[in-house]
Amino acid sequence: MYYLLIVLSLILESCISNFTFATILVPLFLLTSFTILHPYYKNNKINFILSAMFFGLIYDIAFTDLVFINTICFGICSIFVVTLYKYIKYNIFNANLINIIVIIIYRIISYIFLIILDYVNFCFLDLLKGIYSSILINIVYGTILFLVSKCLNKKIE
Amino acid sequence: MKKKSKAKVIIILIVVFALLLGITSYTIDDDKELNFFEKAIKDTTTFISKIFYTPIKFVKDEIDIHNEKKDLYKKYTDLKEKVEKTELYYAEIKELQKEVADLKSTLDLNATLSEYTYINATVVNRNVGYWYNNIVIDKGERNGVKKGDAVITPKGLIGRVTSVSNFSSTVKLLTSDEISNKISIKIDSNDSYLYGLLTGYDKELNVYKIEGITKSDNIKEGDLVTTTGLTDYFPSGILIGQVSKVVKDEYDLNSIVEVTPSADFENISTVTILNRKATE
């Protein structure tokens, strides 16, 4: 069931990107879905990291044409998610806080990789814009996903 | 013991990530063709995205139509005026086409740079991931799209096809940072052409940078910038934008022409692919 939510997040991210506002409010729904749905992996860390990397690979092939950039970034971000949830309790506020931290980490890592590969020219303002434009819409999506997953979990139980 | 195994895992992870990054640097190569699995994944995700996006697009289009209906009378009078002029242009084009055909037969030319077919496509997603500046369209190899084809909107050139799958393609936009994006252009200034090179895009000012122009004195604001057709990718005469400013470079030696793009990169929903006919 939770894999379906992840796949839906991937498709929704693709659809939302077509709207004009997506240049100011950049969706990162796939990454957000991994941050929010992590507790439902029932402490299976390896499974969580591998599925994050797998979806990162699909993301690369389908959207970016740069195979393995997002595979690595999603892998690193999933390690951060696992580590952060060790110390922070899972609730709506903390889940969104972790979501923000992970988005910042993801943006910085992917930007560094793209600079190493000479794909983009370094511009600090561009990086900053990439970070702050991604936060608001993903917090909203994260909150919705949190509530939906909680409802689903109750029904399943 | 536990600490040792943790360190091992970290080292393995670093090695794996470094290897993957190495492979990525290979995939950046423009000439790389998509393999079977890549094509399958790309086509499937594009197909599913299209199914989900179709109802959303319908609602979006309806809203756009509703907004378009405002100032309908003013638009009608403007268009009426343009239609009246079209008759004149049509006659002129007919005459020119005849002249071109005569000249071609005289020179025994079978194909020119201006000969290409049009393939219309819908944008399935755009710039997912923020940095990549590409769009994915719903037409691919099976529809006749080829790698390197120019992609335009009714307003002008927007980019070129960089990878082709069976039923979808990726288009790299002109707003991309990639250095390989250099395009040979000409500026129509006082009925003479000045040739230069489009070298980049300034995100802050929303302008293209054009370099390599020797005589910039004649260039004035509003001059049209089009492609020259001298490169493999873009046919001649596709509108890129209008000159907005001419500035000097940091050493005060060369001129840099700033060009406002004619295409609206914020709102691309349908595109046309210029599929060049093979030269016989």
Side-chain angles (χ1 to χ4, degrees):
Chain A
M1 181 59 83
Y2 301 106
Y3 280 107
L4 191 73
L5 282 179
I6 291 169
V7 173
L8 272 174
S9 302
L10 178 80
I11 295 162
L12 202 62
E13 185 171 338
S14 156
C15 292
I16 295 291
S17 69
N18 285 300
F19 288 88
T20 315
F21 68 78
T23 49
I24 311 158
L25 300 167
V26 186
L28 278 173
F29 294 163
L30 183 63
L31 189 69
T32 301
S33 70
F34 274 106
T35 315
I36 303 296
L37 301 175
H38 166 261
Y40 301 105
Y41 274 82
K42 313 244 186 248
N43 290 327
N44 195 342
K45 288 175 205 167
I46 302 293
N47 189 10
F48 176 71
I49 294 167
L50 284 178
S51 62
M53 286 176 78
F54 172 74
F55 277 98
L57 182 65
I58 289 183
Y59 192 91
D60 279 326
I61 295 169
F63 307 130
T64 69
D65 269 358
L66 287 178
V67 182
F68 296 132
I69 282 279
N70 282 291
T71 315
I72 304 168
C73 292
F74 275 58
I76 294 170
C77 287
S78 62
I79 293 167
F80 272 101
V81 171
V82 170
T83 317
L84 286 168
Y85 273 117
K86 257 187 199 172
Y87 305 103
I88 301 172
K89 211 182 149 199
Y90 183 67
N91 59 42
I92 195 161
F93 176 76
N94 289 343
N96 275 320
L97 186 74
I98 291 173
N99 193 15
I100 294 169
I101 296 167
V102 169
I103 286 169
I104 294 168
I105 292 165
Y106 169 78
R107 281 282 181 238
I108 293 169
I109 295 168
S110 58
Y111 199 61
I112 290 169
F113 284 161
L114 291 174
I115 287 164
I116 292 170
L117 297 169
D118 205 17
Y119 192 84
V120 292
N121 302 323
F122 179 73
C123 172
F124 184 69
L125 277 177
D126 213 18
L127 173 64
L128 216 59
K129 202 180 159 198
I131 292 170
Y132 72 70
S133 59
S134 311
I135 288 173
L136 186 67
I137 191 167
N138 291 304
I139 287 178
V140 174
Y141 184 71
T143 310
I144 294 166
L145 200 64
F146 181 91
L147 298 171
V148 169
S149 59
K150 211 151 201 195
C151 275
L152 276 175
N153 197 37
K154 265 185 192 169
K155 271 191 179 174
I156 290 165
E157 278 176 358
Chain B
M1 193 70 177
K2 209 178 174 185
K3 260 188 181 176
K4 248 188 177 178
S5 69
K6 231 181 187 179
K8 246 186 192 174
V9 170
I10 291 167
I11 290 167
I12 290 167
L13 274 175
I14 290 169
V15 171
V16 168
F17 287 158
L19 271 174
L20 292 177
L21 202 62
I23 298 168
T24 310
S25 65
Y26 159 75
T27 64
I28 273 188
D29 185 10
D30 258 2
D31 293 329
K32 188 193 150 279
E33 296 287 337
L34 297 179
N35 61 40
F36 173 76
F37 294 105
E38 284 175 320
K39 279 184 182 176
I41 291 171
K42 209 174 175 69
D43 286 337
T44 313
T45 46
T46 307
F47 179 69
I48 297 168
S49 296
K50 210 181 157 188
I51 291 170
F52 276 81
Y53 183 54
T54 306
I56 298 171
K57 191 175 182 291
F58 176 76
V59 176
K60 194 181 161 220
D61 288 347
E62 284 300 314
I63 294 165
D64 286 344
I65 289 168
H66 178 76
N67 290 337
E68 280 281 308
K69 278 180 183 168
K70 291 172 189 169
D71 320 318
L72 210 59
Y73 185 73
K74 195 184 170 296
K75 279 174 190 164
Y76 165 74
T77 47
D78 288 350
L79 282 172
K80 202 179 158 192
E81 224 170 86
K82 278 181 185 169
V83 167
E84 279 163 6
K85 282 179 189 168
T86 311
E87 289 296 315
L88 286 172
Y89 291 137
Y90 184 71
E92 205 177 322
I93 286 169
K94 274 271 174 198
E95 188 58 36
L96 287 169
Q97 271 178 340
K98 197 179 166 296
E99 259 177 53
V100 169
D102 289 346
L103 287 167
K104 267 189 193 175
S105 64
T106 316
L107 292 166
D108 200 22
L109 278 175
N110 291 322
T112 64
L113 287 169
S114 60
E115 284 185 337
Y116 36 83
T117 52
Y118 299 91
I119 302 166
N120 291 321
T122 307
V123 176
V124 181
N125 61 63
R126 63 152 307 191
N127 202 15
V128 177
Y130 191 72
W131 314 116
Y132 305 93
N133 273 309
N134 53 20
I135 57 172
V136 176
I137 54 172
D138 66 342
K139 293 281 159 67
E141 219 170 352
R142 298 280 171 94
N143 308 98
V145 179
K146 286 197 286 286
K147 203 171 169 179
D149 283 348
V151 182
I152 59 167
T153 64
K155 289 179 180 173
L157 185 70
I158 59 161
R160 72 180 170 90
V161 177
T162 49
S163 74
V164 188
S165 186
N166 289 326
F167 302 101
S168 62
S169 312
T170 306
V171 178
K172 173 73 60 192
L173 298 176
L174 292 183
T175 50
S176 156
D177 269 351
E178 264 190 299
I179 294 154
S180 58
N181 235 340
K182 283 178 182 168
I183 301 163
S184 171
I185 59 94
K186 59 187 177 191
I187 301 171
D188 187 358
S189 181
N190 297 332
D191 289 334
S192 65
Y193 286 125
L194 296 165
Y195 291 84
L197 214 57
L198 192 152
T199 52
Y201 175 75
D202 191 319
K203 284 175 197 161
E204 293 298 311
L205 303 168
N206 184 29
V207 289
Y208 296 127
K209 301 272 182 189
I210 288 169
E211 291 176 41
I213 293 167
T214 42
K215 290 175 189 169
S216 61
D217 302 339
N218 297 334
I219 301 171
K220 57 185 186 303
E221 200 183 320
D223 283 349
L224 291 178
V225 180
T226 55
T227 53
T228 60
L230 295 173
T231 56
D232 285 343
Y233 297 123
F234 303 106
S236 174
I238 306 171
L239 185 65
I240 290 176
Q242 287 185 327
V243 172
S244 58
K245 211 174 167 187
V246 182
V247 291
K248 287 278 177 195
D249 68 356
E250 54 190 307
Y251 306 107
D252 213 20
L253 293 170
N254 297 313
S255 298
I256 297 171
V257 181
E258 291 181 354
V259 174
T260 309
S262 56
D264 180 12
F265 286 96
E266 302 283 307
N267 193 11
I268 309 167
S269 55
T270 48
V271 295
T272 303
I273 302 142
L274 301 180
N275 192 233
R276 197 182 296 181
K277 284 178 187 170
T279 313
E280 285 163 27

